[in-house]
Amino acid sequence: MVIVLGFFLPPVSIILMTAPIILPPLKAAGFDLVWFGVVMTITMEMGLIHPPVGLNIFVIKNIAPDIPLSDIIWGTLPFVILMAVAILILCLVPGIAMWLPNVLLPTTR
């Protein structure tokens, strides 16, 4: 859902629309909200560069009008794949996202 919203909306709008709906059930289920914030941020950014309607694709096209749109889209695909792999790894090993907060604030976690 967040990836599809990222096609059309900036991340701040997505957070404001989805956070009141998503966060209470996640908190009740015991999910770590910092981990969820990291995953959601990566997912939103993936939606911004994901073809066919990613907003950043058209920003790049306006900055460099001499580059064909198809080249820009093909250029974003490796980043989309890397972000999808990062989300998969974060879901399988959530400690990766929580390592730095646990080091900086060891008493709160």
Side-chain angles (χ1 to χ4, degrees):
M1 173 182 77
V2 175
I3 293 173
V4 174
L5 286 173
F7 289 168
F8 308 105
L9 299 171
V12 172
S13 300
I14 296 170
I15 292 170
L16 290 174
M17 287 178 8
T18 60
I21 299 167
I22 295 174
L23 288 181
L26 286 176
K27 189 182 276 189
F31 280 88
D32 191 335
L33 297 182
V34 175
W35 169 83
F36 178 73
V38 170
V39 171
M40 188 165 177
T41 300
I42 295 171
T43 307
M44 286 185 298
E45 296 303 322
M46 186 168 62
L48 283 174
I49 66 168
H50 191 281
V53 199
L55 290 174
N56 285 354
I57 291 174
F58 297 104
V59 170
I60 294 169
K61 179 62 179 163
N62 286 334
I63 290 172
D66 55 323
I67 300 174
L69 187 60
S70 62
D71 288 349
I72 295 171
I73 290 173
W74 282 109
T76 62
L77 287 180
F79 296 100
V80 171
I81 293 168
L82 286 173
M83 288 180 184
V85 169
I87 292 169
L88 179 67
I89 291 171
L90 285 171
C91 289
L92 295 174
V93 187
I96 294 172
M98 295 308 302
W99 174 79
L100 185 60
N102 288 338
V103 168
L104 295 176
L105 304 168
T107 59
T108 61
R109 299 244 174 236

